[in-house]
Amino acid sequence: MTGITVRPARTSDVRGIRDLISPLVEQRILLGKELVTLFEAVQEFRVAEDENGTLVGVGALHVMWEDLGEVRTLAAAADWRGRGVGHAILDRLEADARELGLSRLFCLTFETEFFGRHGFTDMGSETVDPTVFAELLRSTDDGVAEFLDLARVKQNTLGNTRMIKHL
Ligand SMILES: CC(=O)SCCNC(=O)CCNC(=O)[C@H](O)C(C)(C)COP(=O)(O)OP(=O)(O)OC[C@H]1O[C@@H](n2cnc3c(N)ncnc32)[C@H](O)[C@@H]1OP(=O)(O)O
């Protein structure tokens, strides 16, 4: 879309990312992340900015396994929704995923129609082979636990849909 640029996030974007997502965290749409966690994950983030350099959207790609990644923390600024920001960021995250060699993208979301239009489907009971499952169980990351549908993250997954896209 015109007027919007999607680019890798910089450390100077992190407080803006926190401010953009904090109302969504309060509404329990997105999981809250400490500022230090956002800094640690800055290389995973892409941001969209308008012609004035104002942050208008954000999204992250987290690698979970050789072929598997997760789309995280995707959000458009409230006054920019429905103008293509979300799609532009998701397109970029998918391109990044392909470049990394991933072939499956997971997401946990209330926005099933938006992700559905991007080719994501309800993953139902789709999982990974038992050897990989056992390896993934060693992770302390909540997103990995959500992918595995573990009891310890049920409070995060309630009402959400676990979706997958084969790239
Ligand atoms: C894994 C996770 O992160 S789950 C969490 C997902 N995030 C949230 O729920 C946070 C709150 N929601 C949001 O921030 C946003 O609504 C998002 C991220 C879900 C979607 O972002 P948006 O920028 O609003 O979406 P976007 O505008 O790209 O697409 C929505 C619709 O807007 C319209 N649209 C798209 N591009 C344009 C455009 N250039 N001009 C006008 N309208 C447009 C279309 O109708 C589009 O529908 P389509 O999907 O059939 O193409």
Side-chain angles (χ1 to χ4, degrees), residues 16-74:
I17 293 171
R18 189 259 322 264
D19 293 347
L20 195 151
I21 65 177
S22 65
L24 298 161
V25 172
E26 277 166 32
Q27 294 167 61
R28 304 178 70 86
I29 293 171
L30 293 179
L31 282 182
K33 295 210 163 77
E34 299 295 342
L35 208 48
V36 64
T37 308
L38 293 174
F39 276 115
E40 286 175 341
V42 71
Q43 288 131 308
E44 299 186 352
F45 278 86
R46 300 291 174 261
V47 293
E49 60 184 13
D50 70 7
E51 287 158 340
N52 304 314
T54 303
L55 197 76
V56 297
V58 64
L61 172 68
H62 182 78
V63 175
M64 299 203 288
W65 196 250
E66 191 170 1
D67 62 337
L68 179 67
E70 180 182 8
V71 174
R72 293 185 169 176
T73 321
L74 182 67

Side-chain angles (χ1 to χ4, degrees), residues 1 24 29-30 71-76 80-88 107-111 114-115 117:
M1 72 180 286
L24 298 161
I29 293 171
L30 293 179
V71 174
R72 293 185 169 176
T73 321
L74 182 67
W80 275 86
R81 299 215 180 120
R83 293 161 69 181
V85 171
H87 276 292
C107 75
L108 178 71
T109 189
F110 293 113
E111 293 285 346
F114 172 81
F115 281 96
R117 286 192 291 269

